[in-house]
Amino acid sequence: MVRSGQLVSNIRHKLVRSSVERASPRKLECTHWQKRFSIAIRQYVQFQRETRLERFVWIPTLFAIGLAIVYFISQAREQKREAREQAEYWQKIRAMDYVWYVGEHPACKTGNSVLCFACGSNNLRVERLMQQTYLRKHYCGRCGTSLYYSTEV
């Protein structure tokens, strides 16, 4: 059986021996594999830090890309809606021709000419509508009311 005094002296001896070994210059010298291992660990830790930072950089980048996609989709829908509205507008304008005007306001037709339905003037003016529509706008020269539209021949 080991006595308690002997056990304590054995532990003291081991502690003194290990502290001497730690302090000895022979123990402070690193072997080649220990240096490489410590360098590899430092590189791994640095890599882990960089990948964490890269993860944080990707979050706002992906958010910005998502916002850009949503913006461009909404702009495309808006342009499509505006094009549809403009096509409907020009279709309605093309339908408002001389026959439509005389049918809508039969009291304004006097022989070969028409009168303004708003003020009764026979002073008609013609304006060319560009935008590659090839339409002419006939309006009253006195009050400026649009009367009807005709195609350019």
Side-chain angles (χ1 to χ4, degrees), residues 101 115-125 137 139-147:
Y101 183 74
L115 303 173
C116 174
F117 68 90
C119 67
S121 173
N122 65 352
N123 184 7
L124 295 180
R125 307 260 174 161
K137 174 177 143 182
Y139 64 97
C140 177
R142 187 168 165 203
C143 67
T145 306
S146 296
L147 303 177

Side-chain angles (χ1 to χ4, degrees), residues 67-135:
L67 282 178
I69 289 171
V70 168
Y71 173 76
F72 286 122
I73 288 173
S74 66
Q75 288 298 314
R77 286 183 179 168
E78 181 70 21
Q79 287 178 354
K80 188 176 180 180
R81 184 185 61 78
E82 287 176 0
R84 185 175 50 242
E85 287 176 358
Q86 191 174 18
E88 290 171 0
Y89 170 77
W90 286 113
Q91 187 177 8
K92 184 178 91 174
I93 292 295
R94 282 194 175 88
M96 296 172 63
D97 58 354
Y98 179 79
V99 175
W100 169 85
Y101 183 74
V102 171
E104 195 73 23
H105 308 283
C108 294
K109 184 174 183 198
T110 58
N112 290 340
S113 67
V114 291
L115 303 173
C116 174
F117 68 90
C119 67
S121 173
N122 65 352
N123 184 7
L124 295 180
R125 307 260 174 161
V126 178
E127 177 183 356
R128 290 176 44 188
L129 299 178
M130 297 307 217
Q131 302 175 359
Q132 297 181 352
T133 59
Y134 305 107
L135 289 176

Side-chain angles (χ1 to χ4, degrees), residues 2 4 6 8 11-12 21 42 66-68 88 137 139:
V2 179
S4 64
Q6 240 180 354
V8 171
I11 291 173
R12 278 189 195 150
E21 285 177 0
R42 274 188 247 129
L67 282 178
E88 290 171 0
K137 174 177 143 182
Y139 64 97

Side-chain angles (χ1 to χ4, degrees), residues 26-37:
R26 182 180 66 86
K27 205 58 167 156
L28 292 177
E29 294 176 11
C30 295
T31 61
H32 178 70
W33 70 269
Q34 289 173 329
K35 286 181 184 176
R36 294 193 73 179
F37 184 71

